[in-house]
Amino acid sequence: MDLQTIIKLDEQYYINTFGKRTPVCFDHGSGITLYDTEGVAYTDFFGGIAVNSLGYGHKGLTKALTEQVQKLLHVSNLYYNENQTLLAEKLVQHSVADKIFFANCGAEANESAIKLAKMYFYKKNRPEKNEIITLQNSFHGRTLACVAATGQEKYQKPYAPLTPGFSHVPINDFEALAQAADETKTAAVMLELIQGESGVNPLTQDYVDRLAALCREKDILLIVDEVQTGMGRTGAWFCYEHYGLVPDIFTLAKGLGGGVPIGAVCARAEVAAAFSPGDHGGTFGGGPLASCAGLAVCNAFEAERLPENSKLVGEYLKERLEALGETSPVRFGVRGMGLMLGIVFSEPIAKKLQQALFEAKYLVGAVGDSVLRLLPPLILQKKDVDAFCEVLASVLKNL
Ligand SMILES: *Cc1c(COP(=O)(O)O)cnc(C)c1O
């Protein structure tokens, strides 16, 4: 089908919540390259919003999924599921968590984490300890509780009344947090260590250290939303490693399935034990196909050392960009870690630059007016960085 026909049908039948889509329809991919329905190649520095961690057409993932499709797509969670068990084991081996529960996406994983935190204090006979503090400009997903958790009014206003019990404090402001945290009422602090959706804003080490100490002191659970920062994205399996942090609960989704939807709630044993049979559930979470994908991603991470690659090539990309930012006609800085980087301009050129890069056959993200967001597949190589920086330099010159 030609692109114009697809666009026309989409306008007629699809509920448009994403604004005007970029006028391209992808058909297949290989490595970090996507091909549209006319065979035109695009280099992907956005990875399906941090989802396609292994790029496209990864051999191990494709083989595992092909075999699984031929065997079994779904069994209910009333039966044992080898893939699910093995994926849970893998995530525990690579993290500070002792137990895993599976969901279908990031929002559902966060919902589960919020429920687990509330249940933890409920079972301790402290039901009044049920409030959650999150950060301003955070993003935790689109379900109603996650919208309440998300510290951005634009996502909340039309959906009032929201789930009660959430409050928001400015990022990297310890005093504000200390004032909001109440030993008798606060169940958990929930945060992203690098805010993704709002423009790649990292928390400072000092803030995280003090926050973790405060949580311990006031018996408050620390939930780290690693939906975007997890699974190798920042140059470690999980971003909390960079901060020397041990969260009570952390959540995963985006990169975990390499393109197949799956989410996970990962918890320390004592916290995980708050969920007893009947307390929570889900028909699809961690089904044979999704768990197969997660397992194949973990296997590829181990075999190809992709978190290490993310660190190495991410550092190289950051260096190259920083050098370019100092000499280019439009000056810019770079934020973030590993292969989660924000290019921050002093002028509102993000949308225009994104469009110009698209015309040069590169896919990147834009946040607001002045930040470009890069979330390339973790298989990225230095030569891909060189090629991108060359194109970016020439696009900036001609902007
Ligand atoms: C994308 C994202 C979510 C929501 O994940 P979905 O799979 O879209 O529900 C939650 N938290 C963070 C940090 C995210 O980046």
Side-chain angles (χ1 to χ4, degrees), residues 105-108 110 139-142 192 197 225 227-228 253-254:
C105 65
E108 198 197 349
N110 286 339
F139 184 81
H140 297 294
R142 299 289 199 152
E192 302 154 87
E197 215 64 25
D225 179 345
V227 167
Q228 190 162 152
K254 291 200 164 83

Side-chain angles (χ1 to χ4, degrees), residues 13 47 60 63 116 132-133 187 189 221 289 334 366 368 374 383 391 395:
Y13 294 114
K63 182 168 180 286
L116 181 59
I132 317 270
I133 300 173
V189 171
L221 295 178
L289 188 70
V334 187
L374 305 182
K383 67 173 170 50
V391 170
V395 163

Side-chain angles (χ1 to χ4, degrees), residues 99-114:
K99 294 249 185 176
I100 315 290
F101 183 81
F102 291 104
N104 298 287
C105 65
E108 198 197 349
N110 286 339
E111 288 269 344
S112 309
I114 292 164

